[in-house]
Amino acid sequence: QVQLVESGGGLVQAGGSRRLSCAASGRTFNNYVMDWFRQAPGKEREFVASIGRLGIYTSYADSVKGRFTISRDNAKNTAYLQMNSLKPEDTAVYYCAARRPGSSTRDFWGQGTQVTVSS
């Protein structure tokens, strides 16, 4: 069992930056691929970024490519999402999720953290 807790959300002005953290419990953190998703009001949850178990492989949604950076520190059981050049359309609840390599099923989800970007 893995418990995920996001933090770092808040209110930020357009053009600003924010770093989200996803802290995982348990000793098996490095067995999982870590994903970030987001859900804006009235919209479906959408994929944001993914990072492989060793932090070598990463992928991003086109909407955040070049602005967001996903990373992880396996020694700290934590994944991060560095968000730069934020736009009002980035406003959403951000969730981290863990899945087994090669699987599209997210086994564990965090509770989410709100990011609001003001114009």
Side-chain angles (χ1 to χ4, degrees), residues 32-43:
Y32 293 91
V33 175
M34 297 301 297
D35 299 326
W36 284 95
F37 283 76
R38 67 185 181 185
Q39 188 167 19
K43 295 189 177 180

Side-chain angles (χ1 to χ4, degrees), residues 3-119:
Q3 289 188 318
L4 303 175
V5 179
E6 301 97 334
S7 61
L11 178 64
V12 60
Q13 288 191 329
S17 298
R18 202 83 182 180
R19 187 176 83 155
L20 305 182
S21 298
C22 173
S25 64
R27 295 181 233 178
T28 60
F29 178 72
N30 60 0
N31 288 345
Y32 293 91
V33 175
M34 297 301 297
D35 299 326
W36 284 95
F37 283 76
R38 67 185 181 185
Q39 188 167 19
K43 295 189 177 180
E44 302 219 339
R45 190 173 297 190
E46 64 174 359
F47 169 79
V48 174
S50 181
I51 187 165
R53 294 185 303 117
L54 301 181
I56 298 172
Y57 164 81
T58 59
S59 66
Y60 297 92
D62 287 343
S63 58
V64 307
K65 203 170 291 185
R67 300 188 298 122
F68 289 13
T69 302
I70 189 172
S71 62
R72 66 189 296 161
D73 184 338
N74 287 343
K76 295 183 178 179
N77 282 6
T78 303
Y80 303 97
L81 186 68
Q82 177 66 44
M83 305 184 295
N84 298 330
S85 303
L86 283 161
K87 305 174 182 179
E89 51 264 42
D90 294 318
T91 295
V93 178
Y94 284 73
Y95 300 89
C96 62
R99 59 183 167 90
R100 295 284 184 178
S103 172
S104 59
T105 300
R106 277 76 191 182
D107 297 305
F108 306 104
W109 288 88
Q111 84 291 346
T113 186
Q114 174 72 47
V115 174
T116 302
V117 184
S118 63
S119 56

